[in-house]
Amino acid sequence: MDRTEFIDETFDGIFRDAGRVRVDGLSFSGDGGQGVSRAELMRACICGSNSARGRMVMELVLREAEAGERHAILDVRGVYAPLMEYIPSLRVYRVGSLATVNPFKPPSGMEGEEYAKVASAAVQGVYGLSRDERIYLGRALETCYREGTAEPSIDDLMDRLLRIQAEVQPKEGYKVECLRNVLWEMERGAMGRVLREREVKVKTPAVFDLSPLRTFRERALLAACLLVRAGGWAPTCVVVDPAEWVMGHETAYSFNLLRAVEEALEGLERAGVMAHLCGASPSLLPWNMGERVTSCLYCGPLWDRDLYQIERTFALTREEAREVRHLGEEAALLCVSGRDRPVFVSPRLSQFREVSEEEIKEHMRTLGEEPVDLKAKAGAMTTRMLEKIFRDRGALVYAREMLRLVEGGRVPVEAVNEQKNVLLRAVVKGLRRYFLIMEYVDNAGARWYRLTKVGERALAEMDERTGGEMEEKEDGGRAAR
């Protein structure tokens, strides 16, 4: 490979001359020789280490934006906010901290019943739901959409699942309870803040910074659902980084989720929207998605498997393979489908710096949007599980005290059955129905009640509320004095 092909320029002039472009480092300007068309970048894979790939993708996005492209960037790691200093119209939605984007909201043009299958498949793939649990979640979502709830919250889903649980057999009710435990896990932390607040009105170009979400599962779920919805925001280019978090075959994703993601990418392609799939290596993408890649930009250093693929595809000589093997972090290798040679590129990268949350707030205000500090609103009271099950105040008191008794020591089943208090017996029946308490038999054959994990959580929720109310009363008393 001739060293003269190592081009040291910038991204200037991207996508000029009717879409026919010449590689000037990572710039694209008119020339038919080494030209790269926009169609050839329709589904591009940018791969390499996190730092090298991040710098290169930001430079690419910046030059594309100068050419008029409008991006929707699914930023799983939280690295693309610095682009706002170079692209004044770029919105930064810091999801879970300053903005909410509901993963259960159907995209425009898709029926609620259809999206319920997609969203339930996403939760199944990320959280490992069983087939029956996925079906019950889909039913709950369909009920929400049918009853006019376009942005279901966790509370909305819990309410519908309580209805379903009251109708099914006890054996099936246990499956519903397992699903509710998964939703309870989702409700904690930043993801809970996302699912409690109304979704912001999304406008592009935009960065969806998912880094405030605390776990891989939460970020992967939200990124997958946002990718399915991306076409509704009218972008001209969608960037996913890292793509293997959203569609990687090493994750125990369900076939339904991967198919929904592939259909979303195909829909973007039909609409003329570019997709930049970024990650450590193209080999981490599912086979059917990797086969559709139209170009790859390898940021050094390369993985051995990628090096082998490049050598085999372009039939490189030993000397050429040695050059590719020693690709540094400041350089990249552009491989375009259908071309007989790769091209070295070494752009002069822009100086990006980290931006603070306060700077993001100020930037969004200049664009006419007022960010909402979700952390400050996190302490707002929500309806607790016991309050949803026992609407009657008297029954609620009995339920709470019964849970306290069971938690504090062994409560015999026979002693409860012999009670003449009808309300108490009805409360115990309800606690068993929703798996807050359960029977067990000791070595002597005696039957007792004990708390389940769900019961422990329900009691902790009520104690948490009582503690908060007592603190408020104490604060009020001190203020009065």
Side-chain angles (χ1 to χ4, degrees):
M1 189 178 302
D2 190 347
R3 290 295 296 176
T4 59
E5 294 186 27
F6 196 103
I7 306 170
D8 183 13
E9 293 292 342
T10 63
F11 267 112
D12 299 336
I14 189 168
F15 298 150
R16 287 184 182 170
D17 293 342
R20 201 62 193 171
V21 296
R22 169 177 60 98
V23 179
D24 269 338
L26 287 184
S27 77
F28 302 85
S29 55
D31 184 345
Q34 296 176 350
V36 180
S37 68
R38 189 179 187 278
E40 289 169 325
L41 294 175
M42 185 57 64
R43 190 179 292 191
C45 182
I46 301 97
C47 55
S49 65
N50 287 341
S51 59
R53 182 182 76 240
R55 292 194 299 269
M56 206 69 71
V57 174
M58 282 200 285
E59 194 67 28
L60 176 61
V61 168
L62 177 57
R63 301 309 170 189
E64 288 176 341
E66 291 175 352
E69 300 293 331
R70 190 169 56 256
H71 295 81
I73 304 173
L74 307 186
D75 184 8
V76 180
R77 296 184 298 116
V79 298
Y80 290 98
L83 282 168
M84 73 183 197
E85 292 191 312
Y86 291 84
I87 307 175
S89 61
L90 183 71
R91 288 166 167 78
V92 179
Y93 297 112
R94 196 166 169 78
V95 180
S97 177
L98 301 176
T100 61
V101 184
N102 194 322
F104 299 129
K105 181 180 178 181
S108 58
M110 182 179 289
E111 296 292 334
E113 181 177 351
E114 181 183 358
Y115 188 69
K117 296 178 181 178
V118 173
S120 59
V123 179
Q124 179 189 34
V126 174
Y127 286 87
L129 301 185
S130 68
R131 173 184 173 275
D132 291 339
E133 289 167 350
R134 175 180 60 80
I135 290 173
Y136 285 129
L137 177 58
R139 282 179 56 184
L141 286 168
E142 287 180 26
T143 304
C144 288
Y145 302 145
R146 191 165 52 247
E147 294 176 354
T149 305
E151 299 179 28
S153 65
I154 290 292
D155 287 339
D156 294 324
L157 293 175
M158 289 290 197
D159 288 342
R160 273 62 175 192
L161 289 174
L162 280 175
R163 291 189 215 167
I164 294 173
Q165 192 171 6
E167 297 169 357
V168 300
Q169 297 296 324
K171 182 179 179 180
E172 293 298 310
Y174 176 74
K175 298 175 183 177
V176 178
E177 192 55 51
C178 291
L179 172 57
R180 290 174 61 201
N181 288 337
V182 172
L183 296 180
W184 175 76
E185 179 183 343
M186 291 173 58
E187 193 178 16
R188 300 170 61 190
M191 191 66 169
R193 296 194 290 270
V194 168
L195 294 172
R196 279 195 292 269
E197 299 293 328
R198 296 281 297 179
E199 180 179 304
V200 297
K201 185 176 181 181
V202 174
K203 298 178 181 179
T204 55
V207 172
F208 298 89
D209 182 355
L210 306 183
S211 61
L213 302 176
R214 63 189 178 89
T215 68
F216 155 79
R217 287 178 169 179
E218 293 171 348
R219 298 185 194 183
L221 171 64
L222 204 56
C225 292
L226 292 182
L227 180 57
V228 174
R229 295 180 52 192
W233 304 320
T236 62
C237 180
V238 174
V239 180
V240 186
D241 188 3
E244 61 263 25
W245 282 39
V246 183
M247 57 193 78
H249 55 67
E250 293 183 359
T251 309
Y253 280 9
S254 67
F255 171 80
N256 291 331
L257 174 58
L258 290 176
R259 185 56 191 157
V261 170
E262 175 61 17
E263 287 179 352
L265 291 174
E266 290 175 356
L268 293 173
E269 188 174 338
R270 287 193 300 271
V273 179
M274 293 188 297
H276 295 343
L277 307 180
C278 313
S281 169
S283 61
L284 297 180
L285 297 177
W287 178 84
N288 60 323
M289 296 185 190
E291 286 294 300
R292 297 289 298 276
V293 169
T294 56
S295 59
C296 282
L297 185 63
Y298 293 94
C299 306
L302 296 177
W303 286 22
D304 285 342
R305 69 181 73 173
D306 295 334
L307 179 63
Y308 171 74
Q309 181 67 29
I310 294 170
E311 291 177 358
R312 189 179 65 172
T313 301
F314 295 101
L316 301 184
T317 65
R318 182 175 298 179
E319 181 64 27
E320 291 170 340
R322 186 179 296 113
E323 287 189 54
V324 174
R325 182 180 293 275
H326 293 93
L327 187 66
E329 283 201 5
E330 298 301 321
L333 190 72
L334 179 62
C335 301
V336 179
S337 177
R339 301 300 179 89
D340 59 359
R341 299 183 70 79
V343 179
F344 281 108
V345 291
S346 181
R348 292 192 298 268
L349 301 175
S350 303
Q351 297 299 313
F352 297 102
R353 68 174 184 87
E354 292 187 11
V355 294
S356 66
E357 196 160 275
E358 287 301 319
E359 289 176 302
I360 293 175
K361 290 180 182 178
E362 188 61 32
H363 177 75
M364 293 295 282
R365 290 189 184 106
T366 62
L367 295 175
E369 297 191 21
E370 183 61 37
V372 178
D373 192 342
L374 298 179
K375 295 178 183 178
K377 300 180 66 175
M381 289 294 181
T382 58
T383 305
R384 307 304 183 189
M385 184 185 304
L386 281 182
E387 294 171 335
K388 295 176 182 177
I389 297 174
F390 302 101
R391 304 289 184 179
D392 178 73
R393 179 67 179 175
L396 178 62
V397 172
Y398 271 121
R400 183 175 181 180
E401 292 306 314
M402 183 64 185
L403 292 180
R404 283 189 177 281
L405 288 173
V406 175
E407 180 189 41
R410 297 196 299 180
V411 176
V413 174
E414 291 301 324
V416 175
N417 292 340
E418 293 172 359
Q419 289 290 324
K420 296 182 179 180
N421 189 320
V422 177
L423 180 57
L424 175 60
R425 292 204 303 270
V427 166
V428 171
K429 184 177 180 181
L431 293 175
R432 292 179 59 189
R433 177 72 176 175
Y434 292 102
F435 296 98
L436 278 73
I437 61 175
M438 64 180 299
E439 294 183 19
Y440 77 98
V441 180
D442 64 12
N443 294 333
R447 294 187 301 158
W448 308 87
Y449 284 119
R450 69 176 178 85
L451 284 185
T452 64
K453 291 293 184 183
V454 182
E456 292 174 2
R457 187 175 80 237
L459 185 58
E461 286 179 346
M462 297 303 293
D463 290 343
E464 179 183 347
R465 166 164 291 188
T466 301
E469 291 173 349
M470 291 180 63
E471 289 180 5
E472 288 180 3
K473 290 180 180 179
E474 292 176 0
D475 292 342
R478 284 193 291 268
R481 289 196 294 271

